[in-house]
Amino acid sequence: QSALTQPASVSGSPGQSITISCTGTSSDVGSYNLVSWYQQHPGKAPKLMIYEVSKRPSGVSNRFSGSKSGNTASLTISGLQAEDEADYYCCSYAGSSSVVFGGGTKLTVL
Amino acid sequence: EVQLVESGGVVVQPGGSLRLSCAASGFTFDDYTMHWVRQAPGKGLEWVSLISWDGGSTYYADSVKGRFTISRDNSKNSLYLQMNSLRTEDTALYYCAKDGLTTLDYWGQGTLVTVSS
């Protein structure tokens, strides 16, 4: 049950696009199309942004997109806005009914 | 509207016990698996445990196995986490979360557990 690997921080200017990577193993990210992404603003609960690698829940902006290749999943935010500044966490099903999260990535909008 | 409201977080001494509760509303509680996830101060999210819709299956992270017990009362739309032999590293904000079949789709606001002497 080792945590998935995410960069500690990423940054971008308004209007730009950024991508956050999430690297796991063949036992979690690589084996299941069950990767989710959560956004967390300070003092708030996590909010689901992407599920099943690339699906968006109702109400989530289409500026958020997800993908996966091998053991690495990615979250891309296009047209960066000030309100996107937050922590982002990836999450994967890891077999045997367990779940594993990434360490989190702090997104700074310059 | 789905609502999850956690309670029971307090300051407790190392070695002590505590039971957290999560009151659910806005969905058919006994149709869904439920989870507990925690977040230590300034740290990332850590999955703790899950329980199947009927309580028949439970799973735990290695870090809490043998010390924590997850349970539910579907007649009260409530989820619980019994925490025993608490350690300082269990200090965290504890969230309950609804399982949306392929993801954790709704989360509560969390309840803070502090383990300190």
Side-chain angles (χ1 to χ4, degrees), chain A residues 1 34-36 38 40 43-48 50-52 87 89 91 96-104, chain B residues 35 37 39 43-47 50 59-63 65 93 95 101-110:
Chain A
Q1 293 179 345
L34 295 177
V35 176
S36 301
Y38 298 90
Q40 187 180 36
K44 299 296 186 181
K47 175 187 175 184
L48 179 65
I50 296 287
Y51 67 103
E52 292 181 26
D87 293 328
Y89 294 90
C91 173
S96 301
S97 293
S98 68
V99 172
V100 62
F101 286 93
Chain B
H35 299 254
V37 178
Q39 186 169 34
K43 302 296 184 182
L45 301 171
E46 180 189 13
W47 177 78
L50 73 81
Y59 299 90
Y60 301 91
D62 290 343
S63 57
K65 200 172 296 181
L93 189 62
Y95 294 102
L101 301 181
T102 61
T103 187
L104 281 63
D105 55 359
Y106 291 94
W107 298 56
Q109 290 302 308

Side-chain angles (χ1 to χ4, degrees), chain A residues 10-36:
Chain A
V10 299
S11 62
S13 299
Q16 288 185 332
S17 294
I18 63 94
T19 296
I20 300 171
S21 62
C22 169
T23 302
T25 69
S26 57
S27 297
D28 39 61
V29 174
S31 286
Y32 309 98
N33 287 325
L34 295 177
V35 176
S36 301

Side-chain angles (χ1 to χ4, degrees), chain B residues 20-40:
Chain B
L20 305 183
S21 300
C22 172
S25 61
F27 64 102
T28 305
F29 183 70
D30 55 12
D31 276 352
Y32 293 94
T33 291
M34 297 293 294
H35 299 254
W36 286 100
V37 178
R38 68 185 181 183
Q39 186 169 34

